[in-house]
Structures are given as C-alpha cells and as structure tokens.
Amino acid sequence: MARSKEFEVNEVLDKAMKLFWEQGYEKTSMSDLVDHMGIHRRSIYDTFDDKHSLYLQAMDRYCGKVNVTLLGEVKASNTAAEALHKVFDFMINETEDMPSGCLIVNSAVELAARDTVVDARSIESFSVAEQMFEQIIVWGQRDGEISSEHNAKEMAEYLHNISVGIRAMARTSIDKQKLYRIVKVSLKLLE
C-alpha cells in the first residue's frame, strides 16, 4: 500500500525555489535541499524525480508567481505609465522575505549556455515579459501617454532588456536609488 505524502508539494517546492534563487543550481546540493525543504531525500526523488527536474519545477513555480503578481499590478493601474512604474518597482524591490534579483535571470546567466532546457525556459519567460511590456506600451500609445514614434514591440524588447539588467543589479548591494534613476531615464525615452 502506497504511503500518502506527509507534505504539501507547493510548500516544499517554494522552499526549493527560494534556495535555488539564493544559491544557484550548482551551489545547491541535495543535502542542502533535504535540510531546507524539510523532507527526506527519497521523497524529493519520488516527487520531483531529480535535482534538475526539481530546479525546472522551481523555475516554473517562480514564473507563475511573478506573472500573477505583475498581472495584478498592471490591472490595478489606471494608466500605462503607472503600470510601468509598478512593474519596475516590483523588479527592484520584489518582496522583503525573498532573495533579491530574479530566479530566471540568475538561471539564464548560470546555466542557459550549457543547458538547453533552462535556456528554453528562460527564453519563454523573457518572451512573456516582453509581451507584457508591449501590451502596456500599446495601451500608453493608444491613450497618448507614450509616443507612437517607436514600434511597440521594439520598445518592449528594450524595456525587457533594461528589466533584466535591473534584476541582475538588484542582486548586488548597489543603491536602489541608482536603479530608480535608470528606470526614470528609460521611461523618459517612451514619451
């Protein structure tokens, strides 16, 4: 007779996600995962297959959480400019109890060059972010807040590139005011 799981899968996946986010894939050992997740090694293998599969599921979990949060920020905004400010504010600050930076940007930097699955997941996440930026830009162009001089897709690619840099810089001890200045200059280009 099969034993029932004595843990909630998303709860332990969140713990693994946070550990991978803090330490990266290579630095995180199975022993670290066992200690941090609070479950047995066998349970990790039974539930998530292996460390790589667990990492991919953590990436997916992260993307889902971030996308829901950003979509909520955009929908709660009254203007496209407000939406862009909220998106960048989230990227600079995220949440206090979470590691700084972005798990996807970290994954792309650490693994994408040698792991085709992580590369594909990173590119997919980047594409979703670019689509979000494009929708906001089109909204702003329609309402006259954002210049129609530039192609919305190209400006979305540009803003996404800025956001990746912001997320990477947020991992450092750099002054957040500098990040806000970078955002301010970038958004000024849309006027």
Side-chain angles (χ1 to χ4, degrees):
M1 184 161 133
R3 290 180 49 185
S4 64
K5 286 190 180 9
E6 297 173 6
F7 56 90
E8 204 281 307
V9 173
N10 285 332
E11 189 177 299
V12 296
L13 183 56
D14 284 346
K15 290 177 181 181
M17 176 189 75
K18 186 175 180 184
L19 186 63
F20 283 131
W21 191 357
E22 288 173 346
Q23 298 186 170
Y25 179 78
E26 294 294 335
K27 190 174 180 219
T28 303
S29 69
M30 283 303 291
S31 294
D32 292 336
L33 289 164
V34 168
D35 291 344
H36 199 77
M37 294 168 73
I39 62 175
H40 299 287
R41 184 180 300 259
R42 182 80 254 151
S43 294
I44 293 174
Y45 286 114
D46 288 346
T47 306
F48 302 104
D49 294 329
D50 58 22
K51 178 182 165 183
H52 189 260
S53 294
L54 173 59
Y55 188 76
L56 296 174
Q57 290 176 55
M59 286 179 72
D60 291 345
R61 178 92 171 141
Y62 175 84
C63 287
K65 286 178 163 237
V66 168
N67 291 341
V68 164
T69 300
L70 289 177
L71 182 60
E73 293 290 342
V74 171
K75 285 185 174 184
S77 300
N78 295 314
T79 65
E82 180 183 352
L84 288 171
H85 284 285
K86 285 182 176 182
V87 166
F88 279 108
D89 188 54
F90 171 81
M91 291 178 178
I92 291 170
N93 292 305
E94 204 124 345
T95 58
E96 294 302 319
D97 64 334
M98 289 295 174
S100 57
C102 171
L103 177 62
I104 303 307
V105 172
N106 299 349
S107 299
V109 170
E110 181 184 10
L111 298 170
R114 64 181 190 278
D115 186 324
T116 58
V117 180
V118 169
D119 182 53
R121 287 258 192 2
S122 299
I123 290 170
E124 180 182 336
S125 177
F126 292 163
S127 177
V128 168
E130 286 177 8
Q131 290 169 16
M132 175 197 63
F133 279 123
E134 184 176 2
Q135 291 169 354
I136 296 170
I137 291 167
V138 167
W139 170 20
Q141 287 175 332
R142 184 191 67 227
D143 291 355
E145 292 178 82
I146 295 175
S147 171
S148 295
E149 178 182 331
H150 301 289
N151 177 283
K153 182 173 179 42
E154 291 171 1
M155 287 308 295
E157 292 168 346
Y158 167 77
L159 286 181
H160 179 254
N161 190 353
I162 295 300
S163 75
V164 169
I166 293 286
R167 301 299 289 272
M169 291 173 73
R171 295 256 321 162
T172 71
S173 61
I174 206 161
D175 181 25
K176 289 183 190 258
Q177 292 310 310
K178 180 175 183 173
L179 301 179
Y180 281 112
R181 285 193 305 272
I182 293 167
V183 169
K184 183 178 178 183
V185 169
S186 300
L187 296 181
K188 188 93 174 130
L189 298 174
L190 296 176
E191 295 176 356

